[in-house]
């Protein structure tokens, strides 16, 4: 009796905290999606009668009768529980050997009660019994009499919990004397559709992290920090610490704090208009599967290119935690990548690099007009003295010349004595002046000099040489205060500067996406942001203020080409990942990504798409269907705007295919929204690319005539492009290609059918031209009538 009473008291305690526990469980249903797993429950739908089920017998007083019933929530059968002796008397299943300590599980089940003498609503629990007196409520629902209710929850089995005896059962809330009011406490009930699967949270971000019209954060489907901008051929590439590697949302949808410890890849995005950003995926830099296997981490990247031995190479520098910095080499801004050095570039053995208290991370690369490369690096510097000198002048960062090969150093590193310096060194040049920017420290315990920068800000120095000397008298002020000043969530600070189209821009990171996911809280997951950078007449920098608006789109997007689907202005609910093959838009050397984890209601968009005066006549998506009934809806200027085209995703499941829909001459500049629809709860399809068809740039006619006893087919195609075009005419009786057809001129060909009678048919004419550096093509059909000669 003592053992039984102890067990009952334990269950009372569990019930008392159920509200808090189950609030967490409910939150998980709207947080990270759960990957499909194997159901640990045998016969959870009771379609095989009572196989696998028995009445809970954890206490001697427990008892009930289980019987199949055709009144099922789904399928043909459920279980009916009658004659209950205790509140815990319900259907039970043995899970010993099927669940593990330390793992998280998701429970769902349907319950119903119908006794008209019972209360109008009743709470039911799913409860785990680990043997003895250890009971834990793992899911609950309060259901209305006569209706099926859904029990759901997530729970983690404690790491030290013995699971040699693990059983799941269903019950109503404990009371000391249930027999005194059986209609209230011991009513009959039914159970159906029981599922218990390991909870595998998805890192797909379901929250709206970037509002349409905003420029910041630059991306909202993943994180990225310490952004370093690199401009190449009119496109800016941003290389970032991949905070997403540390993002592990639990059952509540909230991730533990970012420690940076597991980050060994670098995220790359790019844009030529500063609003539509292409996700190029992650570069595997460090670790056993990385390019630089000698390194453990890859933080705070920096990128430059240089022609070495007659070939342009791309040099990606990274921090291996705080202990050193390395470099890998690529053939393009997005790879492929290789290790040409075999070990870290910057270590404590590098001449002048270390003073015994500074970190050797955060490399910043700069190449001067004469081709000489420089690397700034370092940080930290707290020696524990709490002195004013150490706080304000830790002298923890350095600058060193790079060798001609960009993967070696020359001479000794020189000290940078920047006021309150901490990390994030960056070097750039403008109008003959050199700028060294950095993040200030948060105070090392000593008094902070009011003449220097505030804590956690981006400050800068100006000098006449890349090597400085970088002394305190070169300090000019701050560029950007701590992100917490503008967005509420502070944290560290990191920046870069780039020029595009004659305008300078400033990159920074902030925890805006993290905050929007959680409703205000942050765990150190940072996102890239962009702002204009302007200068005073004397070359000093005007202070930048952080905001969600960001910068204006600098050019419209050309739709008449292949557009990678991971080109995104705003989105909600999707994720991206690499797939086999190269990029159709960026070439075979570039990684190819797709959109995946697409559910009903998800969407992506493109900003300021210029369809021109001629307009678009169609849209094509390269897709891989995963569920029947999916469709892609195309809308203009808003995700809830009228649908202008619908692409039914009705191809064979699991196979990549191109599917199209017609557009009714969409003209001018519009934001384009792709909204995804289909069966709820299913992954609908994956998307690889988009393409739009231009309004006809050819005028085509076809006619027949008799020459002697033979029918001749004559085809005329007028080039309506503004540039010369190549015209290919294809008929059942032959084909002809005419190159260099001038604007307004025609290509003509007469085909001898060698027959005295032909049926009506069609010809196909394709025109191709290069417009504003982009290849364009149009294909038109023209009909001709039957003729007898």
């Amino acid at each position: 009796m003592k053992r039984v009473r102890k067990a009952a008291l334990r269950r009372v305690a569990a019930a008392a905290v159920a509200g808090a526990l189950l609030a967490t469980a409910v939150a998980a249903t709207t947080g990270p999606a759960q990957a499909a797993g194997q159901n640990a429950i045998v016969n959870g739908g009771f379609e095989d009668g009572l196989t696998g089920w028995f009445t809970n017998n954890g206490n001697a007083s427990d008892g009930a009768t289980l019987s199949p019933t055709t009144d099922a929530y789904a399928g043909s059968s459920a279980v009916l529980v009658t004659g209950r002796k205790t509140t815990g008397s319900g259907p039970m299943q043995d899970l010993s050997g099927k669940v593990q300590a330390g793992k998280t599980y998701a429970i769902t089940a349907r319950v119903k009660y119908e006794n008209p003498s019972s209360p109008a609503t009743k709470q039911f629990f799913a409860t785990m019994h680990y043997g003895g007196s250890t009971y834990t409520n793992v899911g609950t629902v309060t259901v209305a009499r006569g209706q099926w209710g859904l029990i759901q929850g997530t729970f983690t089995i404690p790491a030290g919990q013995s699971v040699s005896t693990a059983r799941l059962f269903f019950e109503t809330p404990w009371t000391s004397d249930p027999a005194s009011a059986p209609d209230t406490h011991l009513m009959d009930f039914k159970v159906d559709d029981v599922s218990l699967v390991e909870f595998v949270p998805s890192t797909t971000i379901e929250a709206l992290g970037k509002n349409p019209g905003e420029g910041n954060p630059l991306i909202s489907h993943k994180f990225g920090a310490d952004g370093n901008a690199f401009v190449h051929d009119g496109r800016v590439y941003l290389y970032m610490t991949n905070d997403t590697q540390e993002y592990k949302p639990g059952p509540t949808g909230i991730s533990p704090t970012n420690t940076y410890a597991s980050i060994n890849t670098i995220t790359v995005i790019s844009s030529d208009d500063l609003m539509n950003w292409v996700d190029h995926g992650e570069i595997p830099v460090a670790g056993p599967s990385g390019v630089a296997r000698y390194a453990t981490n890859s933080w705070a990247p920096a990128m430059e290119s240089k022609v070495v031995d007659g070939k342009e190479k791309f040099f990606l520098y990274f921090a291996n935690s705080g202990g050193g910095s390395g470099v890998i080499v690529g053939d393009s801004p997005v790879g492929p990548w290789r290790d040409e050095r075999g070990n870290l570039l910057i270590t404590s053995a590098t001449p002048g690099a270390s003073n015994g208290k500074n970190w050797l991370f955060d490399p910043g690369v700069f190449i001067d007009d004469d081709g000489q490369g420089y690397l700034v690096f370092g940080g930290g510097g707290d020696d524990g003295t709490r002195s004013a000198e150490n706080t304000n002048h830790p002298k923890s960062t350095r600058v060193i010349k790079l060798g001609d090969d960009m993967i070696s150093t020359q001479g000794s590193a020189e000290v940078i004595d920047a006021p309150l310096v901490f990390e994030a060194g960056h070097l750039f040049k403008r109008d003959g002046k050199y700028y060294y920017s950095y993040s200030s420290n948060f105070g090392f315990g000593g008094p902070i000099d009011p003449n220097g920068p505030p804590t956690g800000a981006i400050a800068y120095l100006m000098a006449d040489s890349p090597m400085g000397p970088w002394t305190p008298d070169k300090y000019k002020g701050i560029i950007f205060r701590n992100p917490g000043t503008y967005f509420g969530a502070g944290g560290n600070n990191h920046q870069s500067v780039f020029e595009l189209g004659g305008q300078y821009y400033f990159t920074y990171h902030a925890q805006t996406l993290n905050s929007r996911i959680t409703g205000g809280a942050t765990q150190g997951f940072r996102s890239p942001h962009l702002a204009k950078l302007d200068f005073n007449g004397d070359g000093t920098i005007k202070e930048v203020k952080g905001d969600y608006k960001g910068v204006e789109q600098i050019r419209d997007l050309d739709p008449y080409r292949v557009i990678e689907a991971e080109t995104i202005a705003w989105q909600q609910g999707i994720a991206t990942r690499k797939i086999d093959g190269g990029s159709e838009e960026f070439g075979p050397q570039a990684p190819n990504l797709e959109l995946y984890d697409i559910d009903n209601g998800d969407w992506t968009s493109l900003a300021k798409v210029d369809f021109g005066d001629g307009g678009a006549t169609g849209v094509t998506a390269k897709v891989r269907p995963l569920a029947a009934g999916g469709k892609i809806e195309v809308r203009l200027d808003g995700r809830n705007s009228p649908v202008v085209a619908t692409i039914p995703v009705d191809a064979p499941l699991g196979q990549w295919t191109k599917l199209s829909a017609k557009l009714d001459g969409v003209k001018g500049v519009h934001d384009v929204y792709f909204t995804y629809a289909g069966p709820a709860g299913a992954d609908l399809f994956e998307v690889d690319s988009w393409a739009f068809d231009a309004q006809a740039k050819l005028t085509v006619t076809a006619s027949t005539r008799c020459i002697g006893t033979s029918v001749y087919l004559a085809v005329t195609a007028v080039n309506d492009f503004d540039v010369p075009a190549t015209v290919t005419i294809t008929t059942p009786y032959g084909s002809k290609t005419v190159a260099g057809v001038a604007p307004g001129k025609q290509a003509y060909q007469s085909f001898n059918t060698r027959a005295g009678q032909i049926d009506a048919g069609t010809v196909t004419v394709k025109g191709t031209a290069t417009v504003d550096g982009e290849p364009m093509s149009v294909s038109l059909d023209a009909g001709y009538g039957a003729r007898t000669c």
Side-chain angles (χ1 to χ4, degrees):
M1 289 296 294
K2 185 176 180 180
R3 182 187 63 82
V4 174
R5 189 175 186 84
K6 183 177 179 182
L9 290 172
R10 179 64 60 88
R11 287 164 57 192
V12 171
V17 299
L21 293 175
L22 294 164
T24 295
V26 171
T29 65
T30 58
Q34 175 189 322
Q38 183 176 359
N39 191 358
I41 301 294
V42 174
N43 188 31
F46 299 93
E47 300 305 309
D48 294 329
L50 302 179
T51 300
W53 294 95
F54 55 93
T55 303
N56 176 24
N57 56 13
N59 296 312
S61 57
D62 291 333
T65 299
L66 307 183
S67 57
T69 175
T70 58
D71 180 21
Y73 174 79
S76 61
S77 184
V79 65
L80 172 64
V81 189
T82 59
R84 295 197 299 145
K85 295 181 179 180
T86 65
T87 57
S89 298
M92 171 177 270
Q93 187 161 136
D94 188 357
L95 299 177
S96 302
K98 293 184 178 181
V99 294
Q100 299 179 36
K103 288 195 173 183
T104 301
Y105 295 89
I107 172 76
T108 59
R110 297 284 177 171
V111 294
K112 183 170 78 168
Y113 73 102
E114 298 167 298
N115 185 348
S117 300
S118 294
T121 62
K122 187 66 177 178
Q123 187 177 26
F124 288 83
F125 288 107
T127 302
M128 287 291 292
H129 183 203
Y130 299 112
S133 60
T134 308
Y135 292 84
T136 304
N137 300 133
V138 296
T140 191
V141 67
T142 297
V143 60
R145 184 178 55 236
Q147 298 181 13
W148 285 100
L150 173 63
I151 289 178
Q152 60 182 354
T154 55
F155 64 97
T156 300
I157 301 176
Q161 176 64 56
S162 171
V163 291
S164 58
T165 299
R167 304 193 297 179
L168 175 76
F169 68 97
F170 296 89
E171 61 176 339
T172 51
W174 181 88
T175 186
S176 60
D177 186 14
S180 64
D183 289 334
T184 300
H185 304 296
L186 298 176
M187 73 281 286
D188 298 344
F189 67 91
K190 300 168 186 176
V191 179
D192 199 5
D193 282 4
V194 184
S195 171
L196 183 77
V197 297
E198 183 180 349
F199 181 82
V200 182
S202 168
T203 57
T204 299
I205 296 169
E206 302 292 345
L208 179 60
K210 179 181 181 182
N211 292 321
E214 293 177 346
N216 288 325
L218 303 183
I219 54 174
S220 60
H221 65 288
K222 59 171 61 173
F223 302 100
D226 308 324
N228 180 262
F230 169 69
V231 176
H232 192 263
D233 289 341
R235 174 173 289 270
V236 58
Y237 295 82
L238 196 65
Y239 301 82
M240 300 174 289
T241 304
N242 182 19
D243 277 11
T244 305
Q245 271 193 278
E246 285 269 318
Y247 183 60
K248 300 176 178 66
T252 64
I254 307 299
S255 175
T257 299
N258 184 2
T259 68
Y260 321 124
S262 64
I263 299 175
N264 57 19
T265 61
I266 287 172
T267 298
V268 187
I269 61 175
S270 76
S271 178
D272 63 358
D273 62 29
L274 305 184
M275 186 62 75
N276 297 290
W277 290 90
V278 182
D279 183 359
H280 297 286
E282 280 67 48
I283 302 171
V285 177
S289 300
V291 177
R293 296 182 182 180
Y294 54 81
T296 302
N297 296 113
S298 57
W299 304 344
M303 164 66 78
E304 256 298 357
S305 70
K306 183 179 178 181
V307 175
V308 178
D309 297 328
K311 179 182 178 181
E312 186 177 24
K313 292 184 176 183
F314 299 81
F315 301 92
L316 181 59
Y317 302 83
F318 63 93
N320 181 39
S321 186
S325 295
V327 57
I328 59 175
V329 183
D331 293 328
S332 80
V334 291
W337 302 97
R338 60 189 175 273
D339 173 27
E340 290 191 356
R341 182 178 169 84
N343 53 29
L344 291 172
L345 173 65
I346 301 295
T347 70
S348 59
T350 303
S354 177
N355 62 9
K357 64 180 181 180
N358 63 327
W359 301 326
L360 304 177
F361 70 167
D362 285 13
V365 62
F366 167 73
I367 298 178
D368 208 350
D369 299 335
D370 60 1
Q372 175 63 55
Y374 299 85
L375 196 75
V376 293
F377 63 91
D382 184 2
D383 65 3
T385 64
R386 304 176 67 86
S387 68
E389 177 65 20
N390 181 241
T391 298
N392 294 283
H393 299 282
K395 302 177 183 178
S396 57
T397 59
R398 301 287 187 271
V399 58
I400 194 169
K401 286 185 176 181
L402 291 170
D404 291 339
D405 58 6
M406 297 292 287
I407 61 170
S408 62
T409 60
Q410 294 180 2
S412 180
E414 299 291 337
V415 172
I416 297 174
D417 187 3
L420 213 66
V421 69
F422 187 55
E423 59 184 354
H426 178 72
L427 188 61
F428 73 96
K429 182 180 183 180
R430 176 185 177 271
D431 291 347
K433 293 291 185 180
Y434 298 86
Y435 296 77
Y436 173 76
S437 64
Y438 62 96
S439 175
S440 61
N441 67 55
F442 291 88
F444 293 155
I448 295 173
D449 186 348
N451 297 313
T455 59
I458 301 299
Y460 75 104
L461 285 67
M462 289 176 62
D464 295 323
S465 165
M467 298 296 289
W470 298 106
T471 50
D473 59 293
K474 304 295 196 305
Y475 173 70
K476 297 299 180 182
I478 63 169
I479 304 175
F480 182 72
R481 297 178 188 274
N482 191 266
T485 306
Y486 314 104
F487 303 108
N492 63 6
N493 216 345
H494 204 111
Q495 81 299 343
S496 76
V497 173
F498 68 94
E499 181 186 7
L500 184 65
Q503 172 67 48
Y504 281 84
Y505 296 93
F506 178 80
T507 73
Y508 62 96
H509 66 220
Q511 297 183 64
T512 49
L513 176 58
N514 191 177
S515 179
R516 282 174 167 172
I517 291 171
T518 63
T522 55
Q523 293 79 43
F525 296 97
R526 303 156 296 177
S527 294
H529 293 63
L530 195 58
K532 276 188 174 182
L533 188 67
D534 294 318
F535 297 80
N536 298 305
D538 61 357
T540 57
I541 299 173
K542 295 182 179 180
E543 185 177 339
V544 171
K545 290 179 170 39
D547 60 28
Y548 288 101
K549 180 181 178 181
V551 302
E552 297 295 327
Q553 187 169 335
I554 61 174
R555 58 180 289 184
D556 295 335
L557 187 145
D558 172 21
Y560 301 120
R561 56 186 175 87
V562 173
I563 303 170
E564 294 293 348
E566 60 275 12
T567 305
I568 300 170
W570 311 283
Q571 65 81 38
Q572 187 171 9
I574 62 91
T576 61
R577 65 183 174 194
K578 288 183 182 178
I579 55 177
D580 292 340
S583 166
E584 196 171 353
E585 180 181 0
F586 293 94
Q589 87 287 351
N592 190 28
L593 274 72
E594 65 166 7
L595 306 183
Y596 81 105
D597 200 4
I598 297 174
D599 305 311
N600 181 56
D602 293 346
W603 56 275
T604 59
S605 65
L606 301 169
K608 292 186 180 178
V609 180
D610 186 1
F611 293 103
D613 296 333
T617 59
V619 58
T620 298
K622 184 178 179 181
V623 296
R624 190 167 82 96
L626 300 177
K631 60 183 178 180
I632 299 171
E633 298 166 329
V634 182
R635 306 170 190 261
L636 302 180
D637 302 318
R639 61 185 179 186
N640 297 314
S641 298
V643 175
V644 297
T646 299
I647 305 174
V649 185
D650 53 7
L653 300 184
Q655 297 183 24
W656 284 104
T657 187
K658 290 187 176 182
L659 301 173
S660 300
K662 291 184 178 180
L663 287 168
D664 186 15
V666 174
K667 300 179 181 180
V669 178
H670 298 276
D671 296 335
V672 176
Y673 288 78
F674 303 99
T675 57
Y676 308 118
D683 282 346
L684 301 179
F685 39 75
E686 298 161 1
V687 186
D688 188 17
S689 64
W690 311 110
F692 289 86
D693 300 323
Q695 189 69 268
K697 294 292 185 178
L698 295 174
T699 302
V700 180
T701 58
S703 61
T704 58
R705 60 176 176 155
C706 293
I707 299 180
T709 59
S710 294
V711 180
Y712 278 75
L713 173 60
V715 182
T716 301
V718 178
N719 175 20
D720 295 327
F721 286 99
D722 295 330
V723 296
T726 297
V727 176
T728 299
I729 302 169
T730 303
T731 78
Y733 310 103
S735 61
K736 176 71 173 180
T737 297
V738 182
V741 180
K745 301 300 182 181
Q746 68 180 31
Y748 171 83
Q749 183 64 33
S750 180
F751 297 90
N752 184 353
T753 67
R754 304 188 186 282
Q757 178 180 349
I758 64 170
D759 295 330
T762 60
V763 301
T764 299
V765 179
K766 181 178 182 181
T768 60
T770 300
V771 180
D772 295 330
E774 297 286 347
M776 296 182 63
S777 66
V778 61
S779 182
L780 295 176
D781 292 336
Y784 56 86
R787 182 172 291 272
T788 300
C789 294

